[in-house]
Amino acid sequence: MEGVIDALTRDLLTRQAGFDWSVTEFVRVVDARLPPRVFYKHCPELATRPVATPSGVPVHLQLLGSDPATLASNARQALALGAISIDLNFGCPAKLVNRHDGGASLLRQPDRVFNAVRAVADALGGEIPVTAKIRLGFSDRRLAVTCAQATEAGGAAQLVVHGRTRDEGYRPPAHWEWIGKVRHHVSIPVVANGDIWTLEDYWKARTLSGCNDVMLGRSALSDPWLAPRIRHWQLTGERLPDTTWAMRAYVLKEYAALQRQRLPDRVVVSLVKQWLAQMRQGNAEANQHFQRLKRITDLNTLLNTLTLGKPVQNQEPA
Ligand SMILES: Cc1cc2nc3c(=O)[nH]c(=O)nc-3n(C[C@H](O)[C@H](O)[C@H](O)COP(=O)(O)O)c2cc1C
C-alpha cells in the first residue's frame, strides 16, 4: 500500500504465520523504462533470493500505468532484476493517478485493461506470472465482469477484486457478493478484498464472495494480529483473543527500532504516528491513544510513553 507499507512493515507483519504473499507499493510507470534503483526502492527484497520477506513470505511487484508498451518494458526490467511476478494495479482511485490515465481509470475501457495485461504477459513470456487487481468499476459496476474477463483473456493468472467502484473510494460497505458475481464469470482464482477488519468479516467475505482467499489492506496495519488470527482459526477452529493496545504498542516499538537504523529520529516519529493513525481505524482504544500521543515530537519520549498513561476518552476516529 503506497506510502504506508514498505519492506520493513512487510517484515514485521509477516513474522507470525498468516500471510501467504504480499505485494509492493505500486511502481508508477508513465512513459519510460525505469532504472533498477526505482524497483529496488519499492522492492528491496529483489536483492534477496528468494524474493521474500525475511520470514519467507513471497513479495510480488506491482506496476501501475496505462501504456501497454511501457508497462511491458518495465515488466521485462523487473523480470531481469529477479521479480517473481508482476501485479498490475487497475484499482487506484487517486485523482492524480486517474487524471494521468492510470489505476482505476482504465476500468472504463475494458479493452485497455486487456491490452495492458496482454502486453505484460507477452513481455514476460511465461517466465513469471502476471496478476491483476481491479475494483468493481469506475463510477458504476456495469463493466465489472467485462473487466475481470479482460484480465483473464489478457493472460492474468490471478485476480484480486476490491469490492467497490472507484467513485465509492473507501466508503463502506465493500460489496463482497459482487466479487462473487465476478468470480462466476472467470476461471482464474479470484481473491476478495475490501473491508475485512475482523474474523467475522473474513467469514462473511468468504461466504458472500465464494473466494478461497482474501487480501487484507488497511486492516493489516490497524490490527497486525488479524492475519495470524485468521490463520489460527483456519488451522484449529479456535479464536485467538482480541488484539490489545499493548500488542499494538509492541509492534510500533519494533517498527521504530527497525526504521531507526536507517532514518533520522524525526522521520521515524512521523512514521510511527502514521502507523498509529492507521491503527485508529476500527479501534476506539487506539484512537484514544493517538489523541494522547499525537503532539509528542521526540522519538524516545514517544516510545517510552506508548504504553504509559490512560487513553484520552471521547474522541471519534477521524
Ligand atoms: C494509503 C493506501 C495506499 C494504497 N496503496 C495501494 C497500492 O499501492 N496498491 C494496491 O494494489 N492497492 C493499494 N491500496 C488499496 C488496498 O490494497 C485495498 O485494495 C483497499 O484499501 C481495500 O482493502 P481494505 O478495505 O482491506 O483496506 C491502498 C490503500 C490505501 C488506503
Side-chain angles (χ1 to χ4, degrees), residues 13-24:
L13 290 176
T14 57
R15 284 183 184 181
Q16 300 180 79
F19 289 103
D20 299 308
W21 47 273
S22 63
V23 189
T24 64

Side-chain angles (χ1 to χ4, degrees), residues 107-304:
L107 298 176
R108 290 179 286 205
Q109 295 162 287
D111 55 322
R112 297 187 66 204
V113 171
F114 169 82
N115 290 337
V117 180
R118 170 50 63 87
V120 170
D122 286 348
L124 298 174
E127 285 193 54
I128 57 171
V130 55
T131 58
K133 170 133 180 272
I134 62 170
R135 285 181 174 244
L136 291 173
F138 194 83
S139 359
D140 59 54
R141 299 175 208 139
R142 274 179 299 177
L143 293 175
V145 167
T146 317
C147 284
Q149 289 172 330
T151 67
E152 179 172 22
Q158 176 185 270
L159 176 65
V160 175
V161 182
H162 176 183
R164 280 182 272 252
T165 64
R166 183 266 180 199
D167 285 355
E168 285 170 331
Y170 295 94
R171 258 196 326 277
H175 306 285
W176 298 320
E177 71 290 356
W178 263 86
I179 303 175
K181 280 189 199 179
V182 167
R183 188 182 63 84
H184 280 300
H185 289 89
V186 292
S187 47
I188 50 176
V190 171
V191 177
N193 170 240
D195 275 350
I196 299 168
W197 298 96
T198 63
L199 191 55
E200 288 72 20
D201 292 338
Y202 165 74
W203 290 328
K204 275 191 227 154
R206 275 198 57 179
T207 308
L208 290 177
S209 70
C211 295
N212 284 330
D213 291 302
V214 303
M215 172 184 270
L216 304 181
R218 293 162 297 167
S219 57
L221 290 168
S222 86
D223 182 356
W225 274 266
L226 178 57
R229 187 172 300 113
I230 292 172
R231 179 51 43 85
H232 186 79
W233 176 80
Q234 289 171 332
L235 294 174
T236 66
E238 287 166 12
R239 190 197 169 98
L240 288 174
D242 288 347
T243 306
T244 61
W245 168 248
M247 291 158 82
R248 288 187 164 88
Y250 169 80
V251 173
L252 294 174
K253 283 184 183 173
E254 292 285 300
Y255 180 59
L258 289 176
Q259 293 287 15
R260 230 176 176 175
Q261 292 169 19
R262 54 175 207 141
L263 293 171
D265 280 7
R266 63 182 166 71
V267 180
V268 181
V269 167
S270 313
L271 290 173
V272 171
K273 286 189 191 168
Q274 176 174 273
W275 194 340
L276 180 53
Q278 297 288 330
M279 286 178 172
R280 293 191 292 169
Q281 302 190 59
N283 188 269
E285 190 189 13
N287 180 51
Q288 290 160 1
H289 283 286
F290 177 80
Q291 303 304 333
R292 180 173 68 79
L293 298 161
K294 67 182 179 189
R295 289 198 181 77
I296 299 176
T297 53
D298 175 67
L299 182 57
N300 288 325
T301 315
L302 180 64
L303 297 177
N304 291 334

Side-chain angles (χ1 to χ4, degrees), residues 51-66:
V51 181
T53 66
S55 46
V57 173
V59 180
H60 300 271
L61 191 108
Q62 188 178 73
L63 301 181
L64 182 151
S66 57

